[in-house]
Amino acid sequence: MNNELTPHTQTNTTLHSYAPSSAPYVSSHAVSDASTQFSHTHENATTRPSSSESLRDPYDYVSRISTIAVYDNLRSAPRTIKIQPAQTQDYIAALASQTYLSAKELGGSIPFTVIQEVSENFIHAQFSEVVISILDKGNTIRFADQGPGISDVAKAQLPGFSSATSSMKRFIRGVGSGLPIVKEYFESEHGSVVIESNINAGAVVTISLTSEENQDETALRRALNITNTPQNSAPTLQIPILTEREITFLHVFLVEGALGITEMAQYTDAAPSTVHATFQKLLDLNLIEQPKGTKKRVLTAYGTQVAHHFDAAKE
């Protein structure tokens, strides 16, 4: 565990020594400047551009304060770190770098480049009420804002779809590659990416290298879903990011019922090793389960809802 950075004593901390040299879009100079900016008060961190410059391009400067909440566990209040206003490029660098360092300090292994890809998406919300929560010993990170939200979650995870304007593209690539890159990474690592609507407004993107069964907050979330949901309304269905193969597997389960690896391989023409890996991903997402005493898998109640959702989307 890296204990060189303590969130409560950030002054004179240099971040660029922690940020991988291959990280896109942020030079070591920008990350170093960013560490200085969030290590001091706003007055000492940066000089705000003139009002005429701000009017010319609203994306030049971030005037909002963002919060990083570091949860050692869910039995006590989190430690919080504030990211102070700064030039946009420096602000994104500070946000991503401090999140990466705080997660790594707890023992997390999510790469800096992945954290930065999600952090850059806050520009679409103009950094409105940004809160980043670090859970599960650094292996689950939740990115929340109060912006306009993501109108089409399915398209947001496909390469090429982007709502980035020319002003935004001065600071991010804006080619619709951010979430697809994140999705690809977590698929290869058998992790998960979940996109939800925030309360009242905005979006919440949760990335995790920890299976749902082992997440610190799983029991709490389930309890909240049971006790705090009004009797006359259903909880919002959380749609995970899935590949076409995984969606196909859900459809086959929905039509055929319980299936083993060999049977699924026959239905989908997939190799048994591929079926096994896909089953494991669906198990980790709580979409399927393996009844005791059998080698077959079946859809969970949640998996059935998700399967129906994707079937309806294709119609």
Side-chain angles (χ1 to χ4, degrees):
M1 181 181 295
N2 191 336
N3 294 319
E4 294 184 21
L5 176 69
T6 302
H8 294 298
T9 56
Q10 301 171 36
T11 305
N12 297 327
T13 300
T14 302
L15 287 184
H16 64 275
S17 60
Y18 292 86
S21 59
S22 60
Y25 330 127
V26 181
S27 67
S28 60
H29 175 71
V31 175
S32 178
D33 289 345
S35 72
T36 303
Q37 289 163 354
F38 66 74
S39 297
H40 300 280
T41 62
H42 171 41
E43 288 76 15
N44 294 328
T46 186
T47 301
R48 183 168 183 164
S50 67
S51 58
S52 61
E53 291 175 330
S54 297
L55 289 173
R56 186 165 57 248
D57 191 337
Y59 293 100
D60 280 339
Y61 183 87
V62 181
S63 61
R64 303 172 187 269
I65 296 176
S66 294
T67 302
I68 299 173
V70 184
Y71 287 84
D72 296 300
N73 57 67
L74 287 176
R75 295 183 297 274
S76 59
R79 295 175 284 118
T80 59
I81 303 168
K82 301 293 184 181
I83 303 299
Q84 299 294 334
Q87 300 290 330
T88 300
Q89 190 72 52
D90 297 334
Y91 193 90
I92 293 173
L95 197 63
S97 298
Q98 184 60 64
T99 299
Y100 168 75
L101 291 174
S102 297
K104 185 177 180 181
E105 183 187 41
L106 292 182
S109 55
I110 297 176
F112 175 82
T113 50
V114 171
I115 293 172
Q116 182 164 318
E117 290 287 355
V118 185
S119 298
E120 288 182 344
N121 277 336
F122 283 131
I123 198 170
H124 294 280
Q126 294 192 359
F127 302 92
S128 176
E129 302 297 332
V130 168
V131 176
I132 298 177
S133 303
I134 302 175
L135 306 134
D136 300 321
K137 298 180 180 179
N139 284 312
T140 296
I141 305 176
R142 174 164 297 130
F143 301 78
D145 63 64
Q146 290 288 333
I150 300 174
S151 59
D152 193 324
V153 172
K155 285 186 177 179
Q157 59 187 280
L158 296 175
F161 286 90
S162 174
S163 60
T165 64
S166 57
S167 294
M168 296 179 191
K169 290 177 182 178
R170 295 171 53 208
F171 309 103
I172 64 173
R173 283 179 294 186
V175 295
S177 64
L179 286 179
I181 287 174
V182 173
K183 170 188 171 183
E184 180 66 24
Y185 169 77
F186 283 98
E187 284 178 354
S188 67
E189 297 296 323
H190 302 293
S192 63
V193 179
V194 178
I195 302 174
E196 306 168 80
S197 294
N198 206 348
I199 299 172
N200 295 327
V204 180
V205 178
T206 303
I207 59 177
S208 182
L209 288 175
T210 305
S211 65
E212 184 180 353
E213 289 76 10
N214 294 324
Q215 288 180 15
D216 292 340
E217 64 162 6
T218 299
L220 177 61
R221 289 192 67 157
R222 287 175 178 166
L224 288 172
N225 283 338
I226 294 172
T227 60
N228 289 349
T229 301
Q231 293 183 356
N232 60 351
S233 64
T236 302
L237 181 63
Q238 301 172 13
I239 304 299
I241 296 177
L242 301 177
T243 65
E244 285 299 322
R245 175 180 288 115
E246 291 157 359
I247 293 172
T248 299
F249 275 36
L250 292 185
H251 173 75
V252 175
F253 275 122
L254 190 62
V255 174
E256 302 296 333
L259 294 170
I261 290 178
T262 301
E263 295 166 308
M264 182 62 79
Q266 292 172 345
Y267 277 113
T268 61
D269 292 326
S273 59
T274 300
V275 174
H276 182 273
T278 305
F279 275 10
Q280 187 58 54
K281 169 73 178 297
L282 297 177
L283 283 166
D284 290 343
L285 291 175
N286 195 34
L287 294 169
I288 63 173
E289 58 187 353
Q290 183 174 357
K292 292 183 179 180
T294 177
K295 293 184 178 181
K296 296 181 182 293
R297 280 74 164 178
V298 297
L299 290 172
T300 62
Y302 169 55
T304 301
Q305 289 180 296
V306 173
H308 279 301
H309 167 83
F310 282 112
D311 276 5
K314 289 181 178 180
E315 295 178 355

